[in-house]
Amino acid sequence: MADRVYPRDDSPPQTTELKPPPPPQEEEDQAHHPQSPRKLAGPQSEKPVQPPAGTYVIQIPKDQVYRVPPPENAQRFERLSRRKPRRSHCCCCLCWFLSFLAAFLFLVGLAAAILYLVFRPESPDYSIERVSISGLNLTSSGPISPEFDVTVRANNPNNKIGIYYEKGSSVNVYNDGVKMAAGSLPVFYQDKNNVTVFVTSLKGSAIELTSGVRTALVNGVNKGTVPFNLVLRAPVKFKVGSVKTWKITVKVDCDLTVDKLTASAKIGSKSCDYGVDLW
């Protein structure tokens, strides 16, 4: 049997598939690595960021995060939210007390400033004018009973303030720490801008002198300088206008020397310090 021959024009059509040319990079890769298959790049997985060492990460589902207290704590939350802040009675009393104290101190300071500007108070000054001594026999070794008549000059320089000298004053005379005699001031009123001179009698009884004190007195008489210390304390009240103040203690300390231990003794040197105790 003879084969059937088809003419060239009658041959079945051939389909050709056109492929796009590979990219230049792929051509190079295929040229260098003809056997390596091409891998497709997939999506890269992101790794979670690790927390720093020593810390903990707690994950809680979102539906378990409460913005209001849970039902079992609802009543407590409502009670606490409705509670009003209360101040203790002690705190309120302390605030009132401090306010009252501050106002009182302010008023006292203001009144004191006004009184000072109106009356211009000045401190009185004192001095020892004369000392008469008797009964101080140093030739005998027995006890002595000396007497001192001390003339005191008190000056009140205030133009608008008088001074009341009250009971309870004391005047003491010492020699080398040994009390020789004691007495008090008279009770009187000293007018404003006034100088008052008064004599106070001081007496001692059965004073035992040590040999050292007796020797020091004898040496002082021989030199004409026998030292004594006079200590005066006087409670007074100041009269400001028609008002009397509370009792204020006037303090006077005088160091003086006399030439001899007789009624005609003369003061050689004297130095007095004075001040006041307001309370």
Side-chain angles (χ1 to χ4, degrees):
M1 177 181 289
D3 294 332
R4 191 175 182 177
V5 179
Y6 293 95
R8 182 178 301 270
D9 296 334
D10 297 333
S11 61
Q14 297 180 359
T15 61
T16 59
E17 183 177 355
L18 298 178
K19 295 182 180 181
Q25 183 65 30
E26 291 184 0
E27 292 180 357
E28 280 186 346
D29 293 341
Q30 291 179 4
H32 290 287
H33 305 283
Q35 300 299 328
S36 60
R38 187 176 58 182
K39 296 181 180 180
L40 298 177
Q44 297 181 356
S45 60
E46 296 182 357
K47 295 183 178 181
V49 180
Q50 296 296 329
T55 59
Y56 299 91
V57 178
I58 300 176
Q59 297 181 354
I60 301 176
K62 187 176 181 181
D63 56 352
Q64 294 184 11
V65 178
Y66 293 101
R67 297 185 179 272
V68 295
E72 60 269 16
N73 293 335
Q75 294 181 357
R76 183 181 180 187
F77 174 77
E78 184 177 0
R79 184 174 63 255
L80 293 177
S81 61
R82 291 181 179 179
R83 180 181 296 179
K84 296 181 180 180
R86 296 179 299 174
R87 293 185 178 180
S88 63
H89 295 289
C90 294
C91 182
C92 295
C93 293
L94 180 61
C95 292
W96 278 105
F97 174 75
L98 292 178
S99 301
F100 173 78
L101 182 61
F104 176 75
L105 293 178
F106 174 77
L107 293 177
V108 169
L110 181 62
I114 294 175
L115 289 176
Y116 178 81
L117 293 175
V118 172
F119 295 99
R120 299 287 181 176
E122 297 182 37
S123 176
D125 58 85
Y126 304 87
S127 62
I128 307 301
E129 298 297 314
R130 187 174 181 276
V131 176
S132 176
I133 304 171
S134 62
L136 218 166
N137 185 8
L138 300 177
T139 59
S140 174
S141 60
I144 59 174
S145 298
E147 295 184 5
F148 292 78
D149 290 333
V150 181
T151 303
V152 181
R153 180 179 183 271
N155 177 29
N156 178 15
N158 296 283
N159 295 324
K160 299 179 180 180
I161 300 175
I163 302 175
Y164 286 93
Y165 287 84
E166 303 286 330
K167 295 180 180 180
S169 62
S170 64
V171 183
N172 300 312
V173 175
Y174 296 87
N175 175 263
D176 196 16
V178 178
K179 183 188 286 190
M180 308 295 291
S184 60
L185 298 180
V187 177
F188 67 99
Y189 171 73
Q190 186 177 20
D191 203 358
K192 53 185 177 294
N193 198 16
N194 175 265
V195 176
T196 301
V197 179
F198 54 89
V199 178
T200 178
S201 296
L202 314 177
K203 295 181 180 181
S205 176
I207 306 297
E208 295 283 351
L209 297 179
T210 63
S211 59
V213 173
R214 192 180 297 272
T215 301
L217 287 173
V218 172
N219 293 335
V221 171
N222 294 332
K223 293 179 181 179
T225 55
V226 182
F228 288 101
N229 176 245
L230 185 142
V231 178
L232 184 151
R233 298 292 183 269
V236 300
K237 288 184 179 180
F238 292 94
K239 181 182 179 182
V240 183
S242 59
V243 178
K244 284 185 181 181
T245 65
W246 60 94
K247 281 188 179 181
I248 298 173
T249 302
V250 173
K251 304 186 298 182
V252 181
D253 294 335
C254 290
D255 293 325
L256 55 92
T257 60
V258 295
D259 58 347
K260 49 191 174 182
L261 302 177
T262 62
S264 60
K266 294 181 180 180
I267 297 175
S269 64
K270 59 183 177 180
S271 174
C272 294
D273 294 328
Y274 48 88
V276 295
D277 282 341
L278 296 178
W279 311 105

